[in-house]
Amino acid sequence: MYFVANWKMFGNLKSINTLDKVIKFSKSKEIKKGRLIYCPPYTLITSFFKKFENCLIDIGGQNCHESDDYGAHTGFINSRMLKSIGANYVILGHSENRIKGETDKLINLKIRSAIKAKLKVIFCIGETLKEKNSGKTNSILSKQIKFGLDKVKKKSNIFIAYEPVWSIGTGKIPKSKELQQTVEFIKKKFKGKLPKILYGGSVNPKNINDLTKIISLDGFLIGGASQSSKKFIDIVKKTFN
Ligand code: 13P
């Protein structure tokens, strides 16, 4: 099971001290089959990487530019740069970036450049509340998958993170039955080897027991709760209990 911490635009050098608990936990038997991945802001990737030197916790970026070459793109970094500083993962297609204008086409270019740089891609998809209420969830997910993964032949480095937009940061999670159906629907979109599927949106130690009832999920993408080592560890522990 994968537990991905998305720190979004939070954290500073002092936050690194909070990782001691997680590092200790990652070396204990309690981690069981949990794999931990931290996606801090770019400014902290190198420090996190160094901090995790002697443990198995992995690092990822939260976005990247679509070009796999260097270039005059002020304020951006590309997938190769992420890889070169120790990241093995990148989150792409997050709804917080889609809302600012990232299109399926742009996300597709980013995914392809990340795969080329040998990064594993955490590809976020999800419907808004309006889309959900008008019964469009499946068609929205289909569209995001179809265009996002256009010309991506090898899916083994793709993780699909199903994050309903209405669930992010709201404390609301989908009903178990609905979530199970959506996960099944996503799986049916793929032939042959299935990508791993994560759920994201208000995952916390209180609701994790409900979420772990969803069979065929391969893990969780965790925002707010992942900034607290205690909550993050609790989520992992409860998943296996
Ligand atoms: P929250 O866990 O804070 O709802 O955020 C989810 C998310 O957007 C992770 O990518």
Side-chain angles (χ1 to χ4, degrees):
M1 289 291 270
Y2 292 80
F3 299 86
V4 184
N6 177 8
W7 273 30
K8 308 192 180 186
M9 201 171 73
F10 290 97
N12 54 34
L13 286 173
K14 281 194 193 133
S15 333
I16 295 165
N17 301 328
T18 68
L19 301 172
D20 289 325
K21 268 193 208 142
V22 180
I23 293 173
K24 194 167 164 223
F25 173 69
S26 76
K27 293 178 179 170
S28 73
K29 281 194 184 128
E30 286 179 298
I31 183 89
K32 301 203 175 149
K33 288 206 169 114
R35 302 266 304 264
L36 310 185
I37 299 145
Y38 271 80
C39 300
Y42 300 133
T43 48
L44 294 176
I45 290 184
T46 301
S47 315
F48 275 44
F49 181 71
K50 285 190 186 141
K51 184 85 182 169
F52 294 149
E53 218 162 33
N54 295 315
C55 67
L56 293 172
I57 305 178
D58 232 317
I59 294 280
Q62 295 174 15
N63 202 349
C64 67
H65 193 270
E66 65 274 21
S67 169
D68 54 19
D69 205 352
Y70 296 107
H73 303 292
T74 305
F76 290 89
I77 60 150
N78 66 25
S79 47
R80 269 166 64 188
M81 291 160 143
L82 277 179
K83 185 76 188 177
S84 74
I85 54 166
N88 282 322
Y89 290 81
V90 62
I91 297 172
L92 292 172
H94 197 284
S95 60
E96 286 156 11
N97 296 321
R98 287 181 189 263
I99 209 169
K100 293 208 186 66
E102 271 196 9
T103 59
D104 289 317
K105 186 153 193 277
L106 182 65
I107 294 162
N108 173 253
L109 294 174
K110 292 184 177 202
I111 291 177
R112 282 158 57 194
S113 94
I115 297 285
K116 209 166 149 194
K118 302 211 160 29
L119 289 172
K120 293 189 173 75
V121 174
I122 298 163
F123 171 37
C124 302
I125 58 172
E127 81 287 358
T128 62
L129 188 59
K130 196 169 164 218
E131 288 158 349
K132 174 182 157 63
N133 289 343
S134 47
K136 288 190 188 142
T137 299
N138 288 357
S139 64
I140 291 293
L141 300 181
S142 294
K143 177 180 150 288
Q144 291 174 338
I145 292 170
K146 179 167 181 251
F147 293 110
L149 296 181
D150 186 32
K151 299 197 185 97
V152 178
K153 287 197 192 83
K154 234 180 94 204
K155 309 282 194 301
S156 52
N157 279 343
I158 302 284
F159 289 60
I160 304 275
Y162 171 55
E163 295 207 309
V165 180
W166 52 270
S167 172
I168 296 174
T170 59
K172 293 183 186 140
I173 58 166
K175 293 194 181 83
S176 295
K177 201 173 155 208
E178 269 174 13
L179 182 54
Q180 184 75 56
Q181 280 168 352
T182 306
V183 172
E184 293 307 322
F185 176 80
I186 295 169
K187 293 219 155 174
K188 282 208 192 93
K189 294 265 132 207
F190 297 91
K191 295 180 195 87
K193 201 170 181 301
L194 295 173
K196 298 209 169 10
I197 305 203
L198 313 178
Y199 167 79
S202 292
V203 178
N204 64 42
K206 288 194 183 121
N207 60 26
I208 190 69
N209 287 340
D210 290 331
L211 290 166
T212 48
K213 284 186 199 131
I214 312 301
I215 44 165
S216 67
L217 269 181
D218 300 290
F220 301 97
L221 177 54
I222 306 156
S226 72
Q227 287 167 50
S228 148
S229 293
K230 187 183 177 312
K231 285 186 187 164
F232 195 47
I233 293 169
D234 272 1
I235 289 170
V236 182
K237 280 189 187 165
K238 288 189 175 175
T239 298
F240 295 113
N241 279 341

